[in-house]
Amino acid sequence: MKLLRYGETGSEKPGMLDADGNLRDLSGIVDDISGDVLSDAGLDKLRAVDPASLPLVEGNPRLGPCVGGIGKFCCIGLNYSDHAAETGAKIPDHPILFMKANSAIVGPNDTVMMPRGSTNTDWEVELGVVIGTAAKYVSAENALDHVAGYCVINDVSERHFQTQLSGNWTKGKSCDTFGPTGPWLVTRDEVADPQKLAMHLDVNGKRMQTGNTNTMIFTVAQIIEHLSGLFTLQPGDVISTGTPPGVGMGMKPNPVYLKKGDVMELSIEGLGQQRQTVGQDA
């Protein structure tokens, strides 16, 4: 299934795509794509619904983040061997974890606003993992059983804030609008192998990132095992699993960063596409 949320910011309704790609309204079945809806039982309930019986949503409404009420937004840094190489970073011994503020979360096509004073805002296409059932001290062997599904995330980053303002990476990762999520949640039964997904990102029509989740240093299962040994992963928590090479910071001989009016377009195989125009806070 492809589950999504649509409508104005803060008033999104739950929906699903039918076999023809039409948007169907789920608000008569569930209140939101969140919480218990993401459990195996909750998703089975939705699978039992005939999409043709649901109201057809007309027009082209705004798409919101594909998951509502996100609890933790966990992010993994330097998790692609080829991305680590382009930045000159050492391969980490354990997953590098930072958190992204929930106030960064926006829809897949919402405007990304560079904060005041930003000159080093960068792009990062990433595989998002949505937790469906609570996970604590799980092994890699059964970690994927706790996944509701997968989605596209743009881990937008302000590199000066991230590296030069002291503290940790969160400062450059948590600016408002720096977490476009969606367009939809693709349930795990439709993703045969999360470690074999092609991905790319374009800026102004130019291909910047081309990668595949098969170059992850730590797999999705290994990441869940590691994080669940630190804290409980709850339904609706989201994990952004790292980015392949081609980020602006890694461009040679000089880094390339976003500017007002730029357009980012990014996609992951089977998970849909995002498109954001870049704005600038006054």
PDB file of all heavy atoms in Angstrom, residues 25-53:
ATOM      1  N   ASP A  25      -9.699   8.931  -0.186  1.00  0.00           N
ATOM      2  CA  ASP A  25      -9.792   9.458   1.175  1.00  0.00           C
ATOM      3  C   ASP A  25     -10.041   8.337   2.181  1.00  0.00           C
ATOM      4  O   ASP A  25     -10.950   7.534   2.035  1.00  0.00           O
ATOM      5  CB  ASP A  25     -10.932  10.478   1.247  1.00  0.00           C
ATOM      6  CG  ASP A  25     -11.099  11.037   2.639  1.00  0.00           C
ATOM      7  OD1 ASP A  25     -10.086  11.441   3.235  1.00  0.00           O
ATOM      8  OD2 ASP A  25     -12.234  11.069   3.144  1.00  0.00           O
ATOM      9  N   LEU A  26      -9.195   8.293   3.232  1.00  0.00           N
ATOM     10  CA  LEU A  26      -9.306   7.275   4.269  1.00  0.00           C
ATOM     11  C   LEU A  26      -9.907   7.813   5.565  1.00  0.00           C
ATOM     12  O   LEU A  26      -9.965   7.073   6.554  1.00  0.00           O
ATOM     13  CB  LEU A  26      -7.912   6.704   4.593  1.00  0.00           C
ATOM     14  CG  LEU A  26      -7.387   5.536   3.767  1.00  0.00           C
ATOM     15  CD1 LEU A  26      -5.940   5.257   4.134  1.00  0.00           C
ATOM     16  CD2 LEU A  26      -8.244   4.296   3.953  1.00  0.00           C
ATOM     17  N   SER A  27     -10.347   9.066   5.568  1.00  0.00           N
ATOM     18  CA  SER A  27     -10.759   9.669   6.835  1.00  0.00           C
ATOM     19  C   SER A  27     -11.999   9.015   7.431  1.00  0.00           C
ATOM     20  O   SER A  27     -12.259   9.165   8.628  1.00  0.00           O
ATOM     21  CB  SER A  27     -10.972  11.181   6.665  1.00  0.00           C
ATOM     22  OG  SER A  27     -11.911  11.459   5.658  1.00  0.00           O
ATOM     23  N   GLY A  28     -12.755   8.253   6.652  1.00  0.00           N
ATOM     24  CA  GLY A  28     -13.880   7.506   7.201  1.00  0.00           C
ATOM     25  C   GLY A  28     -13.465   6.186   7.835  1.00  0.00           C
ATOM     26  O   GLY A  28     -14.274   5.522   8.489  1.00  0.00           O
ATOM     27  N   ILE A  29     -12.195   5.829   7.658  1.00  0.00           N
ATOM     28  CA  ILE A  29     -11.679   4.557   8.176  1.00  0.00           C
ATOM     29  C   ILE A  29     -10.739   4.786   9.358  1.00  0.00           C
ATOM     30  O   ILE A  29     -10.832   4.099  10.377  1.00  0.00           O
ATOM     31  CB  ILE A  29     -10.941   3.772   7.073  1.00  0.00           C
ATOM     32  CG1 ILE A  29     -11.834   3.630   5.821  1.00  0.00           C
ATOM     33  CG2 ILE A  29     -10.493   2.419   7.594  1.00  0.00           C
ATOM     34  CD1 ILE A  29     -13.082   2.805   6.025  1.00  0.00           C
ATOM     35  N   VAL A  30      -9.822   5.744   9.219  1.00  0.00           N
ATOM     36  CA  VAL A  30      -8.863   6.062  10.284  1.00  0.00           C
ATOM     37  C   VAL A  30      -8.759   7.576  10.409  1.00  0.00           C
ATOM     38  O   VAL A  30      -9.067   8.326   9.476  1.00  0.00           O
ATOM     39  CB  VAL A  30      -7.470   5.465  10.000  1.00  0.00           C
ATOM     40  CG1 VAL A  30      -7.517   3.948  10.045  1.00  0.00           C
ATOM     41  CG2 VAL A  30      -6.911   5.957   8.675  1.00  0.00           C
ATOM     42  N   ASP A  31      -8.301   8.015  11.568  1.00  0.00           N
ATOM     43  CA  ASP A  31      -8.157   9.460  11.797  1.00  0.00           C
ATOM     44  C   ASP A  31      -6.892  10.014  11.169  1.00  0.00           C
ATOM     45  O   ASP A  31      -6.851  11.177  10.750  1.00  0.00           O
ATOM     46  CB  ASP A  31      -8.144   9.764  13.302  1.00  0.00           C
ATOM     47  CG  ASP A  31      -9.480   9.475  13.966  1.00  0.00           C
ATOM     48  OD1 ASP A  31     -10.513   9.580  13.272  1.00  0.00           O
ATOM     49  OD2 ASP A  31      -9.475   9.141  15.169  1.00  0.00           O
ATOM     50  N   ASP A  32      -5.844   9.204  11.128  1.00  0.00           N
ATOM     51  CA  ASP A  32      -4.562   9.693  10.618  1.00  0.00           C
ATOM     52  C   ASP A  32      -3.678   8.490  10.302  1.00  0.00           C
ATOM     53  O   ASP A  32      -3.980   7.349  10.684  1.00  0.00           O
ATOM     54  CB  ASP A  32      -3.880  10.592  11.667  1.00  0.00           C
ATOM     55  CG  ASP A  32      -2.872  11.569  11.064  1.00  0.00           C
ATOM     56  OD1 ASP A  32      -2.583  11.470   9.850  1.00  0.00           O
ATOM     57  OD2 ASP A  32      -2.361  12.434  11.808  1.00  0.00           O
ATOM     58  N   ILE A  33      -2.583   8.743   9.591  1.00  0.00           N
ATOM     59  CA  ILE A  33      -1.572   7.714   9.342  1.00  0.00           C
ATOM     60  C   ILE A  33      -0.548   7.840  10.459  1.00  0.00           C
ATOM     61  O   ILE A  33       0.494   8.504  10.334  1.00  0.00           O
ATOM     62  CB  ILE A  33      -0.921   7.895   7.956  1.00  0.00           C
ATOM     63  CG1 ILE A  33      -1.984   7.979   6.858  1.00  0.00           C
ATOM     64  CG2 ILE A  33       0.053   6.747   7.677  1.00  0.00           C
ATOM     65  CD1 ILE A  33      -2.866   6.753   6.727  1.00  0.00           C
ATOM     66  N   SER A  34      -0.855   7.243  11.588  1.00  0.00           N
ATOM     67  CA  SER A  34      -0.027   7.408  12.780  1.00  0.00           C
ATOM     68  C   SER A  34      -0.382   6.335  13.806  1.00  0.00           C
ATOM     69  O   SER A  34      -1.390   5.629  13.664  1.00  0.00           O
ATOM     70  CB  SER A  34      -0.236   8.802  13.400  1.00  0.00           C
ATOM     71  OG  SER A  34      -1.581   8.954  13.826  1.00  0.00           O
ATOM     72  N   GLY A  35       0.449   6.231  14.843  1.00  0.00           N
ATOM     73  CA  GLY A  35       0.149   5.373  15.986  1.00  0.00           C
ATOM     74  C   GLY A  35      -0.183   3.946  15.615  1.00  0.00           C
ATOM     75  O   GLY A  35       0.518   3.295  14.832  1.00  0.00           O
ATOM     76  N   ASP A  36      -1.288   3.440  16.158  1.00  0.00           N
ATOM     77  CA  ASP A  36      -1.681   2.042  15.964  1.00  0.00           C
ATOM     78  C   ASP A  36      -2.000   1.711  14.511  1.00  0.00           C
ATOM     79  O   ASP A  36      -1.965   0.542  14.117  1.00  0.00           O
ATOM     80  CB  ASP A  36      -2.891   1.707  16.836  1.00  0.00           C
ATOM     81  CG  ASP A  36      -2.558   1.664  18.321  1.00  0.00           C
ATOM     82  OD1 ASP A  36      -1.360   1.572  18.651  1.00  0.00           O
ATOM     83  OD2 ASP A  36      -3.493   1.728  19.148  1.00  0.00           O
ATOM     84  N   VAL A  37      -2.304   2.722  13.715  1.00  0.00           N
ATOM     85  CA  VAL A  37      -2.567   2.481  12.292  1.00  0.00           C
ATOM     86  C   VAL A  37      -1.336   1.889  11.617  1.00  0.00           C
ATOM     87  O   VAL A  37      -1.438   1.140  10.636  1.00  0.00           O
ATOM     88  CB  VAL A  37      -3.002   3.794  11.597  1.00  0.00           C
ATOM     89  CG1 VAL A  37      -3.113   3.625  10.092  1.00  0.00           C
ATOM     90  CG2 VAL A  37      -4.333   4.279  12.166  1.00  0.00           C
ATOM     91  N   LEU A  38      -0.149   2.184  12.154  1.00  0.00           N
ATOM     92  CA  LEU A  38       1.103   1.724  11.558  1.00  0.00           C
ATOM     93  C   LEU A  38       1.494   0.313  11.988  1.00  0.00           C
ATOM     94  O   LEU A  38       2.455  -0.250  11.465  1.00  0.00           O
ATOM     95  CB  LEU A  38       2.225   2.700  11.923  1.00  0.00           C
ATOM     96  CG  LEU A  38       2.025   4.138  11.447  1.00  0.00           C
ATOM     97  CD1 LEU A  38       3.069   5.054  12.069  1.00  0.00           C
ATOM     98  CD2 LEU A  38       2.080   4.220   9.928  1.00  0.00           C
ATOM     99  N   SER A  39       0.771  -0.257  12.937  1.00  0.00           N
ATOM    100  CA  SER A  39       1.060  -1.615  13.391  1.00  0.00           C
ATOM    101  C   SER A  39       0.653  -2.622  12.311  1.00  0.00           C
ATOM    102  O   SER A  39      -0.078  -2.295  11.368  1.00  0.00           O
ATOM    103  CB  SER A  39       0.295  -1.918  14.678  1.00  0.00           C
ATOM    104  OG  SER A  39      -1.103  -1.995  14.425  1.00  0.00           O
ATOM    105  N   ASP A  40       1.108  -3.854  12.466  1.00  0.00           N
ATOM    106  CA  ASP A  40       0.725  -4.889  11.502  1.00  0.00           C
ATOM    107  C   ASP A  40      -0.798  -5.040  11.446  1.00  0.00           C
ATOM    108  O   ASP A  40      -1.381  -5.166  10.358  1.00  0.00           O
ATOM    109  CB  ASP A  40       1.369  -6.222  11.878  1.00  0.00           C
ATOM    110  CG  ASP A  40       2.873  -6.239  11.631  1.00  0.00           C
ATOM    111  OD1 ASP A  40       3.373  -5.330  10.940  1.00  0.00           O
ATOM    112  OD2 ASP A  40       3.539  -7.161  12.134  1.00  0.00           O
ATOM    113  N   ALA A  41      -1.438  -5.022  12.619  1.00  0.00           N
ATOM    114  CA  ALA A  41      -2.901  -5.159  12.660  1.00  0.00           C
ATOM    115  C   ALA A  41      -3.570  -3.960  12.004  1.00  0.00           C
ATOM    116  O   ALA A  41      -4.562  -4.106  11.268  1.00  0.00           O
ATOM    117  CB  ALA A  41      -3.373  -5.314  14.102  1.00  0.00           C
ATOM    118  N   GLY A  42      -3.043  -2.780  12.270  1.00  0.00           N
ATOM    119  CA  GLY A  42      -3.623  -1.570  11.680  1.00  0.00           C
ATOM    120  C   GLY A  42      -3.486  -1.555  10.173  1.00  0.00           C
ATOM    121  O   GLY A  42      -4.428  -1.179   9.452  1.00  0.00           O
ATOM    122  N   LEU A  43      -2.340  -1.970   9.674  1.00  0.00           N
ATOM    123  CA  LEU A  43      -2.134  -2.007   8.229  1.00  0.00           C
ATOM    124  C   LEU A  43      -2.957  -3.107   7.581  1.00  0.00           C
ATOM    125  O   LEU A  43      -3.473  -2.929   6.464  1.00  0.00           O
ATOM    126  CB  LEU A  43      -0.645  -2.188   7.921  1.00  0.00           C
ATOM    127  CG  LEU A  43       0.258  -1.027   8.348  1.00  0.00           C
ATOM    128  CD1 LEU A  43       1.720  -1.375   8.092  1.00  0.00           C
ATOM    129  CD2 LEU A  43      -0.118   0.264   7.638  1.00  0.00           C
ATOM    130  N   ASP A  44      -3.122  -4.233   8.262  1.00  0.00           N
ATOM    131  CA  ASP A  44      -3.977  -5.296   7.727  1.00  0.00           C
ATOM    132  C   ASP A  44      -5.423  -4.820   7.586  1.00  0.00           C
ATOM    133  O   ASP A  44      -6.124  -5.185   6.630  1.00  0.00           O
ATOM    134  CB  ASP A  44      -3.929  -6.527   8.635  1.00  0.00           C
ATOM    135  CG  ASP A  44      -2.639  -7.314   8.483  1.00  0.00           C
ATOM    136  OD1 ASP A  44      -1.922  -7.096   7.479  1.00  0.00           O
ATOM    137  OD2 ASP A  44      -2.335  -8.145   9.366  1.00  0.00           O
ATOM    138  N   LYS A  45      -5.849  -3.998   8.526  1.00  0.00           N
ATOM    139  CA  LYS A  45      -7.203  -3.439   8.448  1.00  0.00           C
ATOM    140  C   LYS A  45      -7.366  -2.590   7.191  1.00  0.00           C
ATOM    141  O   LYS A  45      -8.399  -2.668   6.494  1.00  0.00           O
ATOM    142  CB  LYS A  45      -7.486  -2.600   9.695  1.00  0.00           C
ATOM    143  CG  LYS A  45      -8.833  -1.895   9.679  1.00  0.00           C
ATOM    144  CD  LYS A  45      -9.017  -1.040  10.933  1.00  0.00           C
ATOM    145  CE  LYS A  45     -10.321  -0.239  10.862  1.00  0.00           C
ATOM    146  NZ  LYS A  45     -10.493   0.635  12.064  1.00  0.00           N
ATOM    147  N   LEU A  46      -6.344  -1.822   6.869  1.00  0.00           N
ATOM    148  CA  LEU A  46      -6.417  -0.985   5.668  1.00  0.00           C
ATOM    149  C   LEU A  46      -6.334  -1.828   4.397  1.00  0.00           C
ATOM    150  O   LEU A  46      -6.981  -1.516   3.400  1.00  0.00           O
ATOM    151  CB  LEU A  46      -5.304   0.062   5.689  1.00  0.00           C
ATOM    152  CG  LEU A  46      -5.379   1.110   6.804  1.00  0.00           C
ATOM    153  CD1 LEU A  46      -4.257   2.122   6.653  1.00  0.00           C
ATOM    154  CD2 LEU A  46      -6.732   1.814   6.808  1.00  0.00           C
ATOM    155  N   ARG A  47      -5.554  -2.900   4.438  1.00  0.00           N
ATOM    156  CA  ARG A  47      -5.457  -3.777   3.258  1.00  0.00           C
ATOM    157  C   ARG A  47      -6.796  -4.437   2.947  1.00  0.00           C
ATOM    158  O   ARG A  47      -7.070  -4.785   1.789  1.00  0.00           O
ATOM    159  CB  ARG A  47      -4.400  -4.867   3.489  1.00  0.00           C
ATOM    160  CG  ARG A  47      -2.976  -4.358   3.465  1.00  0.00           C
ATOM    161  CD  ARG A  47      -1.973  -5.499   3.483  1.00  0.00           C
ATOM    162  NE  ARG A  47      -0.622  -4.975   3.612  1.00  0.00           N
ATOM    163  CZ  ARG A  47       0.020  -4.837   4.774  1.00  0.00           C
ATOM    164  NH1 ARG A  47      -0.568  -5.221   5.897  1.00  0.00           N
ATOM    165  NH2 ARG A  47       1.243  -4.342   4.802  1.00  0.00           N
ATOM    166  N   ALA A  48      -7.618  -4.608   3.953  1.00  0.00           N
ATOM    167  CA  ALA A  48      -8.922  -5.246   3.754  1.00  0.00           C
ATOM    168  C   ALA A  48      -9.944  -4.314   3.115  1.00  0.00           C
ATOM    169  O   ALA A  48     -11.020  -4.753   2.716  1.00  0.00           O
ATOM    170  CB  ALA A  48      -9.453  -5.755   5.092  1.00  0.00           C
ATOM    171  N   VAL A  49      -9.594  -3.029   3.011  1.00  0.00           N
ATOM    172  CA  VAL A  49     -10.505  -2.047   2.433  1.00  0.00           C
ATOM    173  C   VAL A  49     -10.341  -2.022   0.916  1.00  0.00           C
ATOM    174  O   VAL A  49      -9.216  -1.969   0.404  1.00  0.00           O
ATOM    175  CB  VAL A  49     -10.234  -0.644   3.015  1.00  0.00           C
ATOM    176  CG1 VAL A  49     -11.116   0.398   2.338  1.00  0.00           C
ATOM    177  CG2 VAL A  49     -10.438  -0.643   4.519  1.00  0.00           C
ATOM    178  N   ASP A  50     -11.441  -2.088   0.203  1.00  0.00           N
ATOM    179  CA  ASP A  50     -11.411  -1.960  -1.252  1.00  0.00           C
ATOM    180  C   ASP A  50     -11.220  -0.483  -1.593  1.00  0.00           C
ATOM    181  O   ASP A  50     -12.096   0.339  -1.292  1.00  0.00           O
ATOM    182  CB  ASP A  50     -12.725  -2.466  -1.852  1.00  0.00           C
ATOM    183  CG  ASP A  50     -12.765  -2.323  -3.364  1.00  0.00           C
ATOM    184  OD1 ASP A  50     -11.743  -1.922  -3.964  1.00  0.00           O
ATOM    185  OD2 ASP A  50     -13.834  -2.591  -3.953  1.00  0.00           O
ATOM    186  N   PRO A  51     -10.096  -0.093  -2.193  1.00  0.00           N
ATOM    187  CA  PRO A  51      -9.880   1.319  -2.500  1.00  0.00           C
ATOM    188  C   PRO A  51     -11.003   1.938  -3.324  1.00  0.00           C
ATOM    189  O   PRO A  51     -11.313   3.133  -3.179  1.00  0.00           O
ATOM    190  CB  PRO A  51      -8.553   1.317  -3.272  1.00  0.00           C
ATOM    191  CG  PRO A  51      -7.846   0.086  -2.797  1.00  0.00           C
ATOM    192  CD  PRO A  51      -8.936  -0.927  -2.569  1.00  0.00           C
ATOM    193  N   ALA A  52     -11.631   1.133  -4.178  1.00  0.00           N
ATOM    194  CA  ALA A  52     -12.704   1.657  -5.018  1.00  0.00           C
ATOM    195  C   ALA A  52     -13.916   2.084  -4.199  1.00  0.00           C
ATOM    196  O   ALA A  52     -14.751   2.856  -4.666  1.00  0.00           O
ATOM    197  CB  ALA A  52     -13.116   0.609  -6.051  1.00  0.00           C
ATOM    198  N   SER A  53     -13.996   1.593  -2.944  1.00  0.00           N
ATOM    199  CA  SER A  53     -15.120   1.972  -2.081  1.00  0.00           C
ATOM    200  C   SER A  53     -14.883   3.304  -1.370  1.00  0.00           C
ATOM    201  O   SER A  53     -15.795   3.834  -0.742  1.00  0.00           O
ATOM    202  CB  SER A  53     -15.361   0.874  -1.034  1.00  0.00           C
ATOM    203  OG  SER A  53     -14.297   0.835  -0.079  1.00  0.00           O
TER     204      SER A  53
END
